[in-house]
Each structure stands twice: as structure tokens, then as C-alpha cells.
Amino acid sequence: RVNRRDFMNALEEVHPAFGVSEEELLQVIQNGIIHFNPIVDEILRSGQLFVEQVRTSTRTPLVSVLLHGPAGSGKTALGASIAQASQFPFIKLISPDSMVGFSESQKVTAINKIFADSYKSPLSVIVVDNLERLLEWTPIGPRFSNAVLQTLLVLIARRPPKGRRLLVIATSSLRPVLTETGLSEVFDSELRVPPISNLVSLEYVLQEVELFSSSHERRDAIRMLEDAGFASTEGDEASGRLHIGIKKLLSMIEMARQEPDNVAQRLTGALMGLGM
Ligand code: ATP
Ligand code: MG
């Protein structure tokens, strides 16, 4: 059993790690979460339920969930938000970005260390970001790091020691690779993170980021896209589908902001260029 003193001691013990990861996490969620689709809330809500499950259930000291979806759909930000909201004493992001230039064995060591550190805390969340890049997956061959794969297979499925509880949130934009490598089988649950696929969602984002100075201009831009044949809503089967990740959309919006002339035309041009 873990009593309050153990818990407080553990908090002390792991605090430095938390400080560092908090910065990392805040960085990936600095642009915030825009609720452009009810699914966004559903994902966050499911994440919250997994957090509660880990916190309260004695039967499930380990819960692992995979967030998958197209490139730029917001997987890292959602995973980090769920982790951040847990307020668990140990929260850590394992990201390929922090392992640039690492050899295979250095990666394995780093991943092992983060899991080992998490076992010192009564409650932990580890975000394993971008599985296919961690695995150094290359479709040609196909090639990948078997050492990293074996490490992840073991660690994501391993129950933490007695009295310790762990939530693992992983992300991937290449779901089929996980099936091929057997990684998908280790997860308890999967959540799909969708791209922005209709004009109602797009307009919501445009309003949220205040790209246009008036709702009038914003409506005009949306009308241009309607005329170009894009679907307004999810159920509109006759029209073409918009298909863009929130990450790319936000960066297009920031570019458009740099040159305020003809914002609507340039934005719609860029979205149409992405094809239907
Ligand atoms: P990649 O496939 O390149 O790994 P990704 O799917 O992990 O990309 P993120 O890196 O999470 O995407 O980028 C999403 C960006 O959009 C972040 O800057 C985030 O703050 C912002 N954002 C705004 N609204 C949302 C949302 N509803 N869901 C996720 N991210 C959002
Ligand atoms: Mg990502």
C-alpha cells in the first residue's frame, strides 16, 4: 500500500524530472487546443477517463493508449494535453526530436531510463511520441530499428512495480506500420485523431484564430470554398472533402497573416491546391 507520506516523498524524489518535462510539454501545447469538431472533446474526455482509471483502479496499474491519425492532425498536442491535465507527479515525453543523433543503443538506454524513472513515482504518464520515427521506420525494405522495437514492445506492456501506476500515451501517423511490427497489439485502446474535413470545422478555426477582421470577410472566404465544391458538413457526400491537419492549417494561417492583402484568396487558393 502507498500511504500519504510515501506519496509525498515520491513527489519530492521525482520533482526535477517533472520540472523539465513540464517545459517540453508546454512547448508542444503552446498553441492551445481548438475545439473544431466534437471529436476533439471526445478524445480529451476519453483521455481523462484513462487518467482516472490509472489513478483509481487497483486492477489496472498500467493503461496504454494509442493516438493515431494523419500527419499534423494534432496527435502530439492532444497526447501532451491529456498528460498535462492528469497532474500526475511524473510526466515525461519521449520524442524522436530529443534523440536526434542518438545511436540505436543510446535510444534504447534513454527509453529504458524514462520508464525506470517513472517506476519511482506512484503515478506517471509517459507520452511516447511518433512511434514510427522512434523506430526509424523506412518503407523501403522495409527497415527499422529492431532494438528500439523490442524495447518498446516490452516496456509498453510491462506492469509497473507494486504500488506504482502508469499511463502510456503513444502517437503515430502510420497505423499500418504498428500492425506490421506487432506494436499495435500492446495497446489497451486506440483513438483516431481526424483531420479537418469540412467547412464548418474550418470556419470554426478561422474564427478562433481571428485571421479575418470581420465575420463578413470570413464568410466570403468560406463561400469561395463552397463554390469550389468543398463539403460544408461531415454528411455532405456529394461534395469534395477538405483534408488538412490542424497543424498545417495553423501554419498556413500564420503565413497568410504576414501578408494581409487578399488573405481570403490566398488561403482558399492554398486549400484548393491541396486537392479534394
Ligand atoms: P505530426 O503528424 O507531424 O506528428 P501531430 O499530429 O502530432 O503532427 P501536433 O504536432 O500536435 O500534430 O500539432 C498540432 C498543432 O495544432 C499544435 O500546435 C496544437 O497546439 C494545435 N492545435 C489546435 N487545435 C488543436 C486540436 N483540436 N487538436 C490538436 N492540436 C491542436
Ligand atoms: Mg506529432
Side-chain angles (χ1 to χ4, degrees), residues 221-234:
I222 295 294
R223 211 161 294 129
M224 250 188 254
L225 286 160
E226 265 165 8
D227 292 344
F230 284 102
S232 293
T233 59
E234 212 70 53

Side-chain angles (χ1 to χ4, degrees), residues 75-76 129-130 171 247:
K75 304 171 295 293
T76 303
D129 197 26
N130 210 326
T171 79
K247 188 179 179 179

Side-chain angles (χ1 to χ4, degrees), residues 14 28 30 50 65 82 126 134 160 200 205 214 232 240 250-251 256 273:
V14 296
V28 293
Q30 63 183 346
F50 292 128
V65 49
I82 294 167
I126 300 177
L134 275 177
V200 170
V205 175
S214 70
S232 293
L250 291 178
S251 84

